[in-house]
Amino acid sequence: MKEKANALKNVKTLTLVAMLIALSAVGALIKVFNTVAFDSMPGYFAALYLGGWYGALVISLGHMLTAITSGFPLGLTNHIYIAVQMALYAYLFKFFYRKFNIYIAVIAATILNGPVATLLFVPIFGWGFFAAWVLPLTIASFANVFLAALVYKAIPKRSRE
């Protein structure tokens, strides 16, 4: 009996992950600025609802879908680097939520995926890149993280556990 319950849980989790990746694909088409889009909201939500590893998977695939639909403007290698960064930020989002609260998690994820992520590209593209990208990326990051937190909080607690 326990095996059936675990199998059912695995099917539900797999289905939810697939649906969130599909939602990331839709968000990837809603561009804010160049490759900045609404692809990461499902990944941040997955981190809260399913766990950091699932969030990392969804958000990194979401970014790659955005990069594909944008024609890889920063090059394939840089977009893989961004996907890895975003996977780490989604995992840390869940960590900060567990360790502190949703407000600290939203602020931390916004700062990591906005100014910090842009700053990490200064050695590659220079300060002009930072100046051009930091504001749109930070605003879009906040919107994605905030929406994920809002949706998560709207789900009844008994459904989240």
Side-chain angles (χ1 to χ4, degrees), residues 31-40 44 59 63 66 74 79 82 85-86 89 106 109-121 129-145:
K31 306 278 194 286
V32 176
F33 173 78
N34 204 334
T35 62
V36 178
F38 282 96
D39 59 336
S40 59
Y44 286 118
I59 204 167
H63 174 72
T66 298
L74 301 177
H79 282 291
I82 292 167
Q85 283 180 12
M86 291 180 72
Y89 303 152
V106 167
T110 301
I111 290 169
L112 286 169
N113 198 36
V116 172
T118 314
L119 194 58
L120 291 172
F121 273 98
F129 178 88
F130 179 84
W133 283 75
V134 70
L135 188 61
L137 187 58
T138 303
I139 292 168
S141 294
F142 175 74
N144 278 289
V145 173

Side-chain angles (χ1 to χ4, degrees), residues 16-63:
L16 187 54
V17 168
M19 287 176 18
L20 289 170
I21 291 169
L23 192 56
S24 286
V26 173
L29 299 174
I30 305 169
K31 306 278 194 286
V32 176
F33 173 78
N34 204 334
T35 62
V36 178
F38 282 96
D39 59 336
S40 59
M41 183 281 223
Y44 286 118
F45 173 78
L48 291 176
Y49 191 73
L50 298 171
W53 292 111
Y54 288 110
L57 173 69
V58 172
I59 204 167
S60 60
L61 289 175
H63 174 72

Side-chain angles (χ1 to χ4, degrees), residues 73-156:
L74 301 177
L76 178 61
T77 309
N78 286 324
H79 282 291
I80 291 171
Y81 176 54
I82 292 167
V84 170
Q85 283 180 12
M86 291 180 72
L88 175 64
Y89 303 152
Y91 186 85
L92 289 174
F93 181 53
K94 175 67 174 199
F95 172 80
F96 285 121
Y97 172 73
R98 241 189 270 135
K99 188 87 172 158
F100 301 103
N101 59 41
I102 196 71
Y103 305 106
I104 299 296
V106 167
I107 291 167
T110 301
I111 290 169
L112 286 169
N113 198 36
V116 172
T118 314
L119 194 58
L120 291 172
F121 273 98
V122 168
I124 299 167
F125 295 117
W127 286 104
F129 178 88
F130 179 84
W133 283 75
V134 70
L135 188 61
L137 187 58
T138 303
I139 292 168
S141 294
F142 175 74
N144 278 289
V145 173
F146 180 75
L147 286 171
L150 204 62
V151 170
Y152 179 72
K153 285 298 189 179
I155 294 173

